[in-house]
Amino acid sequence: MQRRIADIKKDISAHSARSAWDKGVKGYAVEMFDDYVDRLHITDDSVRIGKVAETDLLNGARDWEQYSYGGCAEVYDGDICERLCTESQKKKTRDGELPLMGEDWLTVQARALRQAARIVMRYANRRD
């Protein structure tokens, strides 16, 4: 069953997010779905769309690492840190100057993007 774009956007926006990480992932999900709709050149939120696959969201990248490293999302370590971290994590990493638990920031972002894609697909492909 096809869902209206407006309903999908509403569901993604209402997705529960309490932690800094979850809020950042939700932000990526909102942007990811908006980018997907823009690529389809749809301007009317009442339009119904069919199933959304991960490849649709990857926008030509082979995986979320390539998407992240290719500049399709945040490109600066500090911006990724700001989006995904708690205040104490920001302090420990000096606002993104140091890696997060041994991971570089683009890899951290790829993990968040993978989770965001699952959120988008869950709501876009849900049967009402």
Side-chain angles (χ1 to χ4, degrees):
M1 174 174 247
Q2 295 184 332
R3 297 197 70 215
R4 287 178 347 124
I5 290 171
D7 295 333
I8 298 167
K9 285 182 177 183
K10 185 176 114 193
D11 289 346
I12 293 170
S13 294
H15 182 79
S16 177
R18 292 185 180 169
S19 69
W21 176 267
D22 289 344
K23 289 175 185 173
V25 168
K26 178 179 169 179
Y28 281 126
V30 168
E31 291 169 9
M32 188 179 289
F33 186 68
D34 286 343
D35 290 347
Y36 170 71
V37 170
D38 287 346
R39 284 194 308 275
L40 294 176
H41 305 290
I42 298 172
T43 56
D44 181 355
D45 280 354
S46 68
V47 169
R48 293 181 180 272
I49 60 170
K51 184 174 173 141
V52 176
E54 187 172 31
T55 55
D56 298 326
L57 301 174
L58 281 165
N59 193 23
R62 80 174 163 273
D63 57 28
W64 294 109
E65 285 75 15
Q66 186 180 42
Y67 187 97
S68 181
Y69 280 86
C72 294
E74 301 287 0
V75 294
Y76 297 110
D77 294 349
D79 293 339
I80 299 167
C81 177
E82 178 67 30
R83 178 176 275 221
L84 296 170
C85 291
T86 63
E87 290 304 316
S88 66
Q89 289 170 318
K90 290 176 192 175
K91 188 175 178 180
K92 285 179 189 175
T93 63
R94 286 192 245 145
D95 293 319
E97 288 180 26
L98 302 173
L100 180 67
M101 298 183 298
E103 262 186 323
D104 70 76
W105 288 101
L106 291 172
T107 301
V108 170
Q109 177 175 249
R111 228 175 350 106
L113 290 165
R114 189 173 289 106
Q115 290 178 15
R118 285 195 294 258
I119 292 169
V120 170
M121 290 183 296
R122 176 185 319 144
Y123 293 119
N125 300 334
R126 186 163 87 184
R127 295 178 185 217
D128 287 327

